[in-house]
Amino acid sequence: ALSLPINNLVGTIPTSLGNIGTLTSLDFSFNGLFGTLPPSIGALAQLSVISLIQAGTPGFTGPIPEFTSTSLTIFLLALNDFSGTLPSSLFSKASLVVLNVDSNSLVGTIPSVISATNLVEITLSNNQFNGPLPTISNLASLQSFQAGFNSFNRTLPDLPA
């Protein structure tokens, strides 16, 4: 684990950080980090937690890379300026419990069916997503679904019973 939240760190995340193949957790939240997220971070095979919440300028920008880890449980990239589409593969990760990309500049659609059935929290608010809201009736563990301040269609999704 590499956990350095709230440390006044500035600069970019070095690509070489992706060479630490045994890294399971990466938390650089609430620092002064900026720039793009190296694709090598997404390739960390054992990564279970990523937390890069910045809450300030400039924050992270550019696209969110694909994440290949099959043990990813916590995905917190809120309060940055990520752009482009959210990798749809995130919505099929069986291990994923929390997905929070609140307050970025993400665009595109969300898969109509989310097969990551262990999700407890999904936060997509304050982006530029569009299209239909996903069906969430199959997410028995879901406690919170927040998707306000986007451009989703007005049709409500199927809700859990």
Side-chain angles (χ1 to χ4, degrees):
L2 182 55
S3 182
L4 295 168
I6 315 171
N7 269 295
N8 297 315
L9 298 176
V10 295
T12 59
I13 293 180
T15 302
S16 60
L17 194 58
N19 295 336
I20 306 173
T22 56
L23 194 62
T24 58
S25 178
L26 180 62
D27 185 355
F28 287 150
S29 294
F30 302 106
N31 281 291
L33 298 173
F34 57 88
T36 59
L37 187 57
S40 61
I41 300 300
L44 289 166
Q46 296 183 37
L47 193 67
S48 62
V49 175
I50 183 161
S51 183
L52 299 176
I53 301 169
Q54 289 305 303
T57 56
F60 292 102
T61 59
I64 294 174
E66 287 286 339
F67 280 77
T68 59
S69 173
T70 57
S71 56
L72 191 63
T73 56
I74 308 292
F75 191 85
L76 303 173
L77 270 60
L79 304 171
N80 282 287
D81 197 23
F82 285 110
S83 59
T85 58
L86 190 58
S88 60
S89 60
L90 288 171
F91 295 97
S92 61
K93 292 204 175 286
S95 58
L96 199 60
V97 175
V98 175
L99 172 64
N100 185 333
V101 292
D102 179 38
S103 299
N104 280 285
S105 296
L106 297 168
V107 299
T109 60
I110 301 301
S112 60
V113 176
I114 297 172
S115 58
T117 55
N118 289 316
L119 277 164
V120 172
E121 173 192 327
I122 301 171
T123 306
L124 306 170
S125 303
N126 300 299
N127 282 285
Q128 298 162 26
F129 294 119
N130 58 40
L133 285 163
T135 298
I136 57 174
S137 58
N138 61 319
L139 304 178
S141 300
L142 191 66
Q143 296 176 11
S144 175
F145 179 81
Q146 299 179 44
F149 301 97
N150 283 290
S151 295
F152 288 112
N153 291 353
R154 298 184 195 273
T155 306
L156 286 175
D158 290 334
L159 301 173

